[in-house]
């Protein structure tokens, strides 16, 4: 639901995913995954003026995530949940030193979900090109906190940052 109460279109099948309008979905289109992993959103949902973050919070910019990355020395393991409940082995470097508790949420590609327990991609509010925007990612096989550009129709996790 957007901040004003309007519903964000909740997509329940792969064939309906991929619009250039706001969309969200459950991982693997299974609402039972929401309680653990939350929803996956396309960039059009996170940039909609109606807002997806609570009052007093916002989607971090690429610059804000760069500040976080610099603070942690680029070590994304410091942000990952420890263990193998929501990450596949080896969950390299996971210490969750700062209580960020990043889970392996996976993502929604252009037509199908992928990567649960292997990766998480977090949207930034920063465009990289007309059809792409920056994300930050974590993987079970390394401890880096990567920045990359992803297509805006992809479905990725969101972390809201206090204003």
């Amino acid at each position: 639901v957007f901040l004003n109460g309007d519903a964000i279109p909740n997509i329940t099948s792969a064939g309906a995913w991929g619009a250039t309008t706001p969309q969200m979905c459950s991982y693997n289109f299974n609402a039972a995954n929401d309680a653990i992993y939350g929803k996956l959103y396309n960039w059009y949902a996170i940039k909609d003026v109606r807002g997806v973050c609570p009052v007093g919070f916002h989607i971090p910019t690429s610059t804000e995530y760069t500040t976080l990355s610099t603070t942690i020395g680029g070590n994304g393991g410091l942000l990952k949940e420890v263990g193998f409940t929501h990450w596949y082995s080896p969950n390299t470097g996971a210490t969750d030193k700062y209580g960020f508790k990043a889970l392996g949420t996976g993502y929604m590609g252009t037509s199908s979900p992928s990567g649960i327990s292997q990766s998480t991609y977090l949207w930034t509010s920063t465009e990289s090109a007309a059809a792409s925007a920056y994300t930050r990612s974590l993987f079970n096989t390394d401890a880096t906190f990567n920045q990359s550009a992803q297509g805006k129709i992809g479905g990725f996790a969101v972390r809201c940052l206090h204003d």
Side-chain angles (χ1 to χ4, degrees), residues 104-122:
T105 60
Y107 60 91
M108 179 62 193
T110 56
S111 62
S112 62
S114 187
I116 200 161
S117 298
Q118 296 173 316
S119 64
T120 192
Y121 288 81
L122 303 168

Side-chain angles (χ1 to χ4, degrees), residues 4-130:
N4 71 352
D6 290 349
I8 300 171
N10 184 31
I11 306 305
T12 58
S13 68
W17 185 262
T20 57
T21 57
Q23 292 184 314
M24 68 179 185
C25 68
S26 302
Y27 185 83
N28 209 24
F29 306 109
N30 181 349
N33 288 321
D34 294 355
I36 297 169
Y37 299 104
K39 294 283 191 185
L40 301 173
Y41 299 84
N42 71 9
W43 194 80
Y44 302 98
I46 65 119
K47 283 300 287 186
D48 193 284
V49 297
R50 294 171 285 181
V52 295
C53 292
V55 173
F57 290 81
H58 65 276
I59 302 294
T61 64
S62 179
T63 301
E64 288 170 318
Y65 270 126
T66 296
T67 299
L68 173 60
S69 186
T70 300
T71 300
I72 63 172
N75 183 351
L78 300 176
L79 305 176
K80 293 191 298 184
E81 177 189 58
V82 176
F84 308 113
T85 304
H86 303 108
W87 286 102
Y88 290 148
S89 182
N91 199 11
T92 303
T95 67
D96 197 27
K97 180 176 180 177
Y98 299 103
F100 195 83
K101 199 176 179 185
L103 306 180
T105 60
Y107 60 91
M108 179 62 193
T110 56
S111 62
S112 62
S114 187
I116 200 161
S117 298
Q118 296 173 316
S119 64
T120 192
Y121 288 81
L122 303 168
W123 276 121
T124 77
S125 61
T126 307
E127 280 185 292
S128 60

